[in-house]
Amino acid sequence: MNKAVTFSIEIFPPRDAAGWNQFDQTLTRLKKLQPRFCSVTYGAGGSARRGSDIALAHVQRQTSLTPAAHLTCVALSRNETLDIARHWWAEGIRHIVALRGDMAEAGTPFHPHPAGYKYAAELVAALRDLADFEISVGCYPEIHPESHDRLADLFNLKQKLNAGAIRAISQFFFEPEVFLRFRDAAAAIGIHHPLVPGILPILDFNKAAGFARRCGASIPKWLIDRFDGLENESDARGQVAASLAVSMCERLIAEGVQNFHFYTLNRPTLTLAICHALGIQPALERAA
Ligand SMILES: Cc1cc2nc3c(=O)[nH]c(=O)nc-3n(C[C@H](O)[C@H](O)[C@H](O)COP(=O)(O)OP(=O)(O)OC[C@H]3O[C@@H](n4cnc5c(N)ncnc54)[C@H](O)[C@@H]3O)c2cc1C
């Protein structure tokens, strides 16, 4: 049992009955490992608030997990954004992942709402004034796609943390050195808050590569090669994906990382396998 290492999970609001089944499966199968929190994404372009509300209420009322609500401020006025946060506070949600968000139409340049928050740092400061939320923010080991340079991006991260966030959860990446270099660069400008690596278990290589292209995560050639030829071998793909994620997490643990955030995509099997392989099994320890 690896007592020092903990993890959290990300899920998204389901859209139909089959999606709800997967969502429930994800919560049921992963809650045994006692993730520190379970974050629920917010629809791109600030859409789909209703989906987030229902999914959050489900996590809050039907499970023993601690929900964290992603909140994006794109496309909303300041009042509208804060009304959502007030509603969640009244519902007992105490953790918000505060984000700017992207425009609803992929590839459209960002335009802030005329009466809205322009950057996540402004949202963090407003949430801090509103209530005693635990606030997490996003960070980008390979730089946010709109950033001019690493330093500007890191100063933005520092602003978000100084405004009241207590941790930053990273965009996913496929090589541990990417995260470790980012962590060093952050420390060099005085960022000492926890930076939690976001891990994307590769359920489907082509989909993962598509996500990576959209968010600016690089895909190393060796990774393409590892999945090459396994297009019709889903079991073998799963085993390769789990083994690669375990190796990456082990390297990060050896470098002092103690918390991970898994992008589950509402599919629990790989996250479950990776956590077991890493020795993250608190429920089993209690039963012993
Ligand atoms: C862990 C995580 C979870 C996510 N969850 C969701 C989700 O649920 N729903 C969703 O739609 N999206 C989600 N995203 C994606 C996110 O909304 C996008 O990456 C978005 O483009 C940026 O959001 P941010 O909060 O990082 O923005 P910001 O921190 O505001 O940064 C956005 C850009 O503006 C720049 N910038 C910031 N401040 C300034 C300034 N003062 N002057 C000049 N430039 C500045 C930054 O360097 C960066 O390039 C998530 C991302 C992460 C890492």
Side-chain angles (χ1 to χ4, degrees):
M1 158 72 197
N2 197 337
K3 284 187 188 174
V5 178
T6 66
F7 77 109
S8 50
I9 55 172
E10 179 187 290
I11 54 175
F12 65 85
R15 290 182 199 98
D16 54 24
W20 271 105
N21 186 31
Q22 272 177 22
F23 181 88
D24 270 336
Q25 283 282 322
T26 305
L27 298 177
T28 305
R29 291 173 66 198
L30 292 179
K31 78 177 177 209
K32 288 183 269 189
L33 298 183
Q34 299 176 354
R36 292 174 77 190
F37 60 86
C38 167
S39 79
V40 177
T41 62
Y42 201 83
S47 62
R49 169 180 173 184
R50 188 165 158 67
S52 284
D53 279 347
I54 295 171
L56 280 165
H58 185 90
V59 176
Q60 174 84 335
R61 292 181 197 150
Q62 313 288 331
T63 78
S64 53
L65 294 163
T66 303
H70 291 213
L71 177 57
T72 65
C73 52
V74 64
L76 293 175
S77 70
R78 291 168 183 233
N79 284 340
E80 288 166 332
T81 307
L82 293 187
D83 274 349
I84 295 172
R86 276 190 205 100
H87 169 74
W88 286 342
W89 180 266
E91 291 291 310
I93 309 284
R94 296 292 179 260
H95 183 171
I96 290 189
V97 182
L99 300 146
R100 186 199 74 181
D102 293 314
M103 304 301 282
E105 203 170 318
T108 310
F110 174 72
H111 290 297
H113 185 287
Y117 299 107
K118 199 169 173 195
Y119 298 114
E122 296 177 359
L123 173 61
V124 173
L127 291 171
R128 185 74 290 139
D129 288 346
L130 186 70
D132 191 19
F133 283 115
E134 175 175 339
I135 303 173
S136 301
V137 290
C139 65
Y140 302 86
E142 296 184 82
I143 305 182
H144 183 265
E146 292 162 36
S147 265
H148 299 300
D149 59 63
R150 153 90 68 214
L151 207 53
D153 210 33
L154 282 171
F155 275 114
N156 170 47
L157 174 58
K158 197 170 181 181
Q159 258 188 315
K160 295 195 279 193
L161 294 165
N162 288 345
I166 63 160
R167 76 173 66 74
I169 302 171
S170 91
Q171 189 54 276
F172 63 84
F173 53 90
F174 296 118
E175 292 186 292
E177 286 67 27
V178 166
F179 181 82
L180 295 172
R181 279 197 296 269
F182 164 71
R183 193 181 62 169
D184 287 348
I189 66 151
I191 293 177
H192 302 297
H193 288 70
L195 304 178
V196 180
I199 308 293
L200 178 71
I202 303 174
L203 284 166
D204 173 328
F205 181 78
N206 288 333
K207 271 197 192 148
F211 294 149
R213 273 191 293 278
R214 283 197 291 281
C215 71
S218 54
I219 309 162
K221 165 83 169 66
W222 63 261
L223 187 64
I224 300 172
D225 293 344
R226 294 288 204 284
F227 286 95
D228 191 20
L230 292 181
E231 293 74 15
N232 300 316
E233 296 283 356
S234 68
D235 287 353
R237 275 203 316 268
Q239 291 186 23
V240 171
S243 121
L244 292 174
V246 169
S247 301
M248 182 159 84
C249 292
E250 282 176 341
R251 169 94 170 89
L252 292 171
I253 291 168
E255 293 290 338
V257 170
Q258 295 193 319
N259 308 306
F260 294 95
H261 186 71
F262 288 100
Y263 293 109
T264 70
L265 306 179
N266 294 3
R267 304 276 180 164
T269 305
L270 282 179
T271 301
L272 191 65
I274 296 161
C275 287
H276 271 255
L278 293 173
I280 306 174
Q281 300 161 324
L284 298 185
E285 190 202 34
R286 246 205 347 268

